[in-house]
Amino acid sequence: MSTVLPPAGPSYAPWGADPYARALTSGHGPLFLRRTDGWLLPLDVERWCADADAADLSALRRSEGPVIDIGCGPGRLVAALAARGHRALGIDVSEAAIGRTQRMGGSALRRSVFEPLPGEGRWGTALLIDGNIGIGGDPRALLRRVASVLAPGGLLLTEAAPHDVDEQVQVRIDDGREPAGAAPPFPWARAGVSALLAYARAEDWRPVDQWEADGRPFLAFRRARTVRTTSQSADTAKSAAVISSQFPRNLSGDIPAAGS
Protein backbone atom coordinates (compact mmCIF):
# COMPACT_ATOMS: atom_id res chain seq x y z
CA MET A 1 0.00 0.00 0.00
CA SER A 2 1.31 3.46 -0.87
CA THR A 3 2.37 5.66 2.02
CA VAL A 4 2.51 8.82 -0.08
CA LEU A 5 -0.23 11.37 0.52
CA PRO A 6 -2.50 11.85 -2.50
CA PRO A 7 -1.94 15.14 -4.32
CA ALA A 8 -4.46 17.81 -3.49
CA GLY A 9 -5.13 19.26 -6.92
CA PRO A 10 -6.80 16.38 -8.81
CA SER A 11 -9.18 15.67 -5.91
CA TYR A 12 -11.07 18.88 -6.71
CA ALA A 13 -12.26 17.77 -10.14
CA PRO A 14 -14.79 14.96 -9.47
CA TRP A 15 -16.56 16.58 -6.52
CA GLY A 16 -16.79 19.86 -8.40
CA ALA A 17 -18.47 18.13 -11.34
CA ASP A 18 -22.03 18.94 -12.38
CA PRO A 19 -23.73 15.77 -10.99
CA TYR A 20 -22.57 16.43 -7.44
CA ALA A 21 -23.26 20.18 -7.61
CA ARG A 22 -26.74 19.53 -9.05
CA ALA A 23 -27.57 17.08 -6.27
CA LEU A 24 -26.49 19.48 -3.52
CA THR A 25 -28.36 22.35 -5.14
CA SER A 26 -31.59 20.36 -5.41
CA GLY A 27 -31.13 18.53 -2.12
CA HIS A 28 -31.83 15.10 -3.58
CA GLY A 29 -30.45 12.34 -5.79
CA PRO A 30 -30.16 9.97 -7.40
CA LEU A 31 -26.39 10.07 -7.07
CA PHE A 32 -23.94 7.18 -7.01
CA LEU A 33 -20.29 6.25 -6.93
CA ARG A 34 -19.80 3.90 -9.88
CA ARG A 35 -16.94 1.43 -9.79
CA THR A 36 -15.14 0.53 -12.99
CA ASP A 37 -16.97 -2.84 -13.02
CA GLY A 38 -20.33 -1.02 -13.05
CA TRP A 39 -21.22 -1.61 -9.39
CA LEU A 40 -23.07 1.36 -7.86
CA LEU A 41 -22.84 2.78 -4.33
CA PRO A 42 -25.88 5.01 -3.62
CA LEU A 43 -25.04 8.35 -1.99
CA ASP A 44 -27.56 9.51 0.60
CA VAL A 45 -27.96 13.09 -0.66
CA GLU A 46 -31.32 13.65 1.03
CA ARG A 47 -29.90 12.80 4.47
CA TRP A 48 -26.78 14.88 3.86
CA CYS A 49 -28.89 17.91 2.93
CA ALA A 50 -31.26 17.56 5.90
CA ASP A 51 -30.63 18.58 9.50
CA ALA A 52 -28.36 16.40 11.62
CA ASP A 53 -30.31 13.34 12.79
CA ALA A 54 -30.14 11.33 16.02
CA ALA A 55 -27.31 9.14 14.70
CA ASP A 56 -25.28 12.21 13.74
CA LEU A 57 -25.87 13.75 17.15
CA SER A 58 -24.69 10.57 18.87
CA ALA A 59 -21.27 11.34 17.37
CA LEU A 60 -21.33 15.11 17.75
CA ARG A 61 -22.08 14.84 21.48
CA ARG A 62 -18.66 13.23 21.88
CA SER A 63 -16.83 16.18 20.28
CA GLU A 64 -14.14 17.95 22.31
CA GLY A 65 -12.86 21.48 21.75
CA PRO A 66 -12.77 23.03 18.26
CA VAL A 67 -13.97 20.62 15.56
CA ILE A 68 -12.90 20.21 11.94
CA ASP A 69 -15.32 18.31 9.68
CA ILE A 70 -13.29 16.74 6.86
CA GLY A 71 -15.42 16.40 3.74
CA CYS A 72 -18.26 18.40 5.27
CA GLY A 73 -20.54 18.16 2.21
CA PRO A 74 -23.62 20.40 2.50
CA GLY A 75 -22.80 21.19 6.11
CA ARG A 76 -25.40 19.65 8.39
CA LEU A 77 -22.80 18.59 10.98
CA VAL A 78 -21.00 21.93 11.02
CA ALA A 79 -24.33 23.73 11.41
CA ALA A 80 -25.38 21.40 14.23
CA LEU A 81 -22.08 21.91 16.01
CA ALA A 82 -22.39 25.68 15.70
CA ALA A 83 -25.90 25.49 17.15
CA ARG A 84 -24.47 23.55 20.12
CA GLY A 85 -21.86 26.24 20.75
CA HIS A 86 -18.84 24.50 19.26
CA ARG A 87 -16.18 26.28 17.28
CA ALA A 88 -16.35 24.30 14.04
CA LEU A 89 -15.04 24.46 10.48
CA GLY A 90 -16.01 22.33 7.51
CA ILE A 91 -13.60 21.67 4.68
CA ASP A 92 -14.63 20.29 1.31
CA VAL A 93 -13.33 20.39 -2.27
CA SER A 94 -16.79 21.18 -3.67
CA GLU A 95 -17.72 24.82 -4.14
CA ALA A 96 -21.41 23.83 -4.01
CA ALA A 97 -20.85 22.10 -0.66
CA ILE A 98 -19.09 25.11 0.81
CA GLY A 99 -21.87 27.44 -0.36
CA ARG A 100 -24.59 25.28 1.14
CA THR A 101 -22.70 24.90 4.43
CA GLN A 102 -22.40 28.66 4.74
CA ARG A 103 -26.08 29.17 3.93
CA MET A 104 -26.91 26.74 6.75
CA GLY A 105 -25.00 28.95 9.16
CA GLY A 106 -21.77 26.96 9.28
CA SER A 107 -18.22 28.08 8.54
CA ALA A 108 -16.49 26.29 5.69
CA LEU A 109 -13.39 26.48 3.53
CA ARG A 110 -12.81 25.01 0.08
CA ARG A 111 -9.78 22.88 0.77
CA SER A 112 -8.53 19.32 0.49
CA VAL A 113 -7.49 17.65 3.74
CA PHE A 114 -4.12 17.04 2.06
CA GLU A 115 -3.49 20.77 1.69
CA PRO A 116 -2.37 23.13 4.47
CA LEU A 117 -5.27 23.84 6.85
CA PRO A 118 -6.00 26.54 9.43
CA GLY A 119 -4.95 25.59 12.96
CA GLU A 120 -2.99 22.47 12.02
CA GLY A 121 -2.00 20.56 15.13
CA ARG A 122 -4.53 22.42 17.30
CA TRP A 123 -7.95 20.91 16.54
CA GLY A 124 -9.62 19.09 19.41
CA THR A 125 -11.78 16.80 17.25
CA ALA A 126 -11.79 15.70 13.61
CA LEU A 127 -14.81 14.16 11.90
CA LEU A 128 -14.72 11.57 9.11
CA ILE A 129 -18.44 10.83 8.75
CA ASP A 130 -20.61 9.60 5.83
CA GLY A 131 -17.96 7.29 4.42
CA ASN A 132 -15.24 9.95 4.38
CA ILE A 133 -12.64 7.44 5.53
CA GLY A 134 -12.62 6.78 1.78
CA ILE A 135 -11.15 10.19 0.89
CA GLY A 136 -8.01 9.75 -1.21
CA GLY A 137 -8.49 6.00 -1.57
CA ASP A 138 -5.90 5.15 1.12
CA PRO A 139 -7.28 5.02 4.69
CA ARG A 140 -3.84 4.73 6.27
CA ALA A 141 -2.58 7.84 4.50
CA LEU A 142 -5.72 9.71 5.50
CA LEU A 143 -5.44 8.63 9.14
CA ARG A 144 -1.80 9.70 9.16
CA ARG A 145 -2.77 13.10 7.80
CA VAL A 146 -5.58 13.55 10.34
CA ALA A 147 -3.10 12.87 13.15
CA SER A 148 -1.09 15.91 12.05
CA VAL A 149 -4.21 18.09 12.01
CA LEU A 150 -5.31 17.26 15.56
CA ALA A 151 -3.88 18.62 18.80
CA PRO A 152 -1.92 16.19 21.01
CA GLY A 153 -4.45 13.74 22.42
CA GLY A 154 -7.10 14.94 19.96
CA LEU A 155 -10.16 12.86 19.12
CA LEU A 156 -11.13 11.33 15.77
CA LEU A 157 -14.81 10.47 15.28
CA THR A 158 -15.41 8.34 12.22
CA GLU A 159 -18.10 6.23 10.59
CA ALA A 160 -17.41 2.79 9.16
CA ALA A 161 -19.20 1.10 6.29
CA PRO A 162 -22.20 -0.90 7.58
CA HIS A 163 -20.82 -4.13 6.07
CA ASP A 164 -17.59 -6.08 6.51
CA VAL A 165 -15.83 -4.53 3.54
CA ASP A 166 -12.29 -3.42 2.79
CA GLU A 167 -11.71 -2.07 -0.70
CA GLN A 168 -9.68 0.58 -2.49
CA VAL A 169 -11.04 1.27 -5.94
CA GLN A 170 -11.44 3.78 -8.74
CA VAL A 171 -14.92 5.30 -8.94
CA ARG A 172 -16.85 7.99 -10.82
CA ILE A 173 -19.71 10.20 -9.69
CA ASP A 174 -22.83 9.19 -11.61
CA ASP A 175 -26.37 10.53 -11.57
CA GLY A 176 -27.58 8.73 -14.68
CA ARG A 177 -27.58 11.91 -16.77
CA GLU A 178 -23.97 12.13 -17.89
CA PRO A 179 -22.62 10.07 -20.82
CA ALA A 180 -20.74 6.95 -19.68
CA GLY A 181 -17.22 7.89 -18.65
CA ALA A 182 -17.91 11.65 -18.68
CA ALA A 183 -16.97 12.22 -15.05
CA PRO A 184 -13.29 11.72 -14.15
CA PRO A 185 -12.38 8.64 -12.08
CA PHE A 186 -10.78 9.07 -8.69
CA PRO A 187 -9.56 6.77 -5.88
CA TRP A 188 -11.97 5.89 -3.09
CA ALA A 189 -12.02 3.41 -0.23
CA ARG A 190 -14.60 1.69 1.92
CA ALA A 191 -13.81 0.16 5.29
CA GLY A 192 -16.08 -1.77 7.62
CA VAL A 193 -15.47 -1.86 11.36
CA SER A 194 -12.83 -4.62 11.26
CA ALA A 195 -10.90 -3.00 8.43
CA LEU A 196 -11.09 0.45 10.01
CA LEU A 197 -9.81 -0.88 13.32
CA ALA A 198 -6.91 -2.56 11.54
CA TYR A 199 -6.00 0.59 9.61
CA ALA A 200 -6.21 2.71 12.75
CA ARG A 201 -4.02 0.41 14.82
CA ALA A 202 -1.44 0.31 12.03
CA GLU A 203 -1.20 4.10 12.31
CA ASP A 204 -1.00 4.10 16.12
CA TRP A 205 -4.57 5.17 16.81
CA ARG A 206 -6.18 3.75 19.94
CA PRO A 207 -9.92 2.93 19.81
CA VAL A 208 -11.70 4.57 22.73
CA ASP A 209 -15.36 4.09 21.81
CA GLN A 210 -17.54 2.15 19.40
CA TRP A 211 -21.31 2.31 18.94
CA GLU A 212 -24.11 1.95 16.42
CA ALA A 213 -26.98 4.35 15.77
CA ASP A 214 -29.74 3.83 13.21
CA GLY A 215 -27.71 1.03 11.61
CA ARG A 216 -24.64 3.25 11.23
CA PRO A 217 -21.42 2.07 12.95
CA PHE A 218 -19.23 4.75 14.55
CA LEU A 219 -15.80 4.61 16.17
CA ALA A 220 -13.74 7.06 18.19
CA PHE A 221 -9.94 7.02 18.27
CA ARG A 222 -7.00 8.74 19.89
CA ARG A 223 -3.36 8.42 18.95
CA ALA A 224 -2.01 5.43 20.89
CA ARG A 225 1.43 6.98 21.53
CA THR A 226 0.12 10.29 22.84
CA VAL A 227 -0.55 10.80 26.53
CA ARG A 228 -3.09 13.55 27.11
CA THR A 229 -1.84 15.55 30.07
CA THR A 230 -3.61 18.26 32.04
CA SER A 231 -1.39 20.82 30.35
CA GLN A 232 -2.22 19.45 26.88
CA SER A 233 -5.93 19.55 27.66
CA ALA A 234 -5.61 23.17 28.69
CA ASP A 235 -3.66 23.95 25.54
CA THR A 236 -6.38 22.37 23.41
CA ALA A 237 -9.06 24.40 25.17
CA LYS A 238 -7.05 27.60 24.59
CA SER A 239 -6.37 26.77 20.95
CA ALA A 240 -9.70 28.20 19.76
CA ALA A 241 -8.32 31.74 19.71
CA VAL A 242 -5.21 30.62 17.81
CA ILE A 243 -7.29 28.71 15.27
CA SER A 244 -9.60 31.69 14.80
CA SER A 245 -6.65 33.89 13.91
CA GLN A 246 -5.69 31.49 11.11
CA PHE A 247 -9.08 31.41 9.38
CA PRO A 248 -9.55 33.41 6.19
CA ARG A 249 -10.68 36.92 7.13
CA ASN A 250 -14.11 36.51 5.56
CA LEU A 251 -14.80 33.44 7.72
CA SER A 252 -13.44 34.47 11.09
CA GLY A 253 -16.50 36.46 12.09
CA ASP A 254 -18.71 33.43 11.49
CA ILE A 255 -16.84 31.11 13.82
CA PRO A 256 -18.94 30.44 16.95
CA ALA A 257 -17.55 30.55 20.47
CA ALA A 258 -15.72 27.41 21.53
CA GLY A 259 -17.71 24.86 23.47
CA SER A 260 -17.47 21.33 24.69
Side-chain angles (χ1 to χ4, degrees):
M1 180 183 298
S2 170
T3 59
V4 179
L5 293 180
S11 67
Y12 279 72
W15 297 104
D18 286 346
Y20 186 64
R22 280 197 299 261
L24 294 195
T25 299
S26 67
H28 61 80
L31 195 68
F32 307 91
L33 293 182
R34 179 186 289 273
R35 265 186 343 212
T36 53
D37 63 2
W39 180 89
L40 294 173
L41 174 67
L43 300 180
D44 199 352
V45 177
E46 288 82 0
R47 180 171 60 80
W48 297 351
C49 290
D51 292 335
D53 61 20
D56 297 325
L57 295 176
S58 75
L60 300 187
R61 281 195 295 270
R62 291 165 164 84
S63 297
E64 303 171 355
V67 182
I68 185 165
D69 183 5
I70 298 167
C72 66
R76 76 187 190 283
L77 303 182
V78 178
L81 284 163
R84 293 173 68 85
H86 280 273
R87 182 177 298 268
L89 175 72
I91 62 167
D92 203 289
V93 297
S94 164
E95 186 173 355
I98 296 306
R100 184 151 184 151
T101 299
Q102 293 171 345
R103 289 192 295 275
M104 289 187 69
S107 297
L109 183 67
R110 192 177 185 218
R111 195 72 58 86
S112 164
V113 65
F114 297 110
E115 294 179 300
L117 299 173
E120 288 209 17
R122 297 184 178 92
W123 292 96
T125 302
L127 304 180
L128 286 172
I129 307 298
D130 297 329
N132 283 338
I133 190 64
I135 291 172
D138 185 342
R140 285 191 61 175
L142 179 58
L143 289 168
R144 196 174 313 126
R145 171 60 179 143
V146 172
S148 70
V149 172
L150 284 171
L155 184 69
L156 169 61
L157 298 172
T158 187
E159 181 177 352
H163 309 293
D164 188 14
V165 62
D166 181 8
E167 66 174 13
Q168 298 173 42
V169 294
Q170 291 285 318
V171 296
R172 300 177 188 271
I173 296 177
D174 190 335
D175 66 355
R177 297 188 188 185
E178 303 294 322
F186 58 97
W188 194 253
R190 291 196 304 148
V193 170
S194 296
L196 183 50
L197 285 167
Y199 286 128
R201 286 170 179 146
E203 293 300 323
D204 298 318
W205 289 91
R206 176 172 56 91
V208 294
D209 203 355
Q210 181 176 333
W211 71 100
E212 185 172 302
D214 195 24
R216 297 166 57 193
F218 296 91
L219 299 98
F221 297 97
R222 295 192 195 276
R223 289 287 279 184
R225 292 178 181 172
T226 299
V227 177
R228 190 180 181 89
T229 65
T230 301
S231 173
Q232 286 171 337
S233 297
D235 287 345
T236 298
K238 293 176 182 176
S239 69
V242 178
I243 291 172
S244 180
S245 70
Q246 297 186 32
F247 277 102
R249 188 172 300 171
N250 65 339
L251 288 180
S252 60
D254 296 330
I255 304 300
S260 59

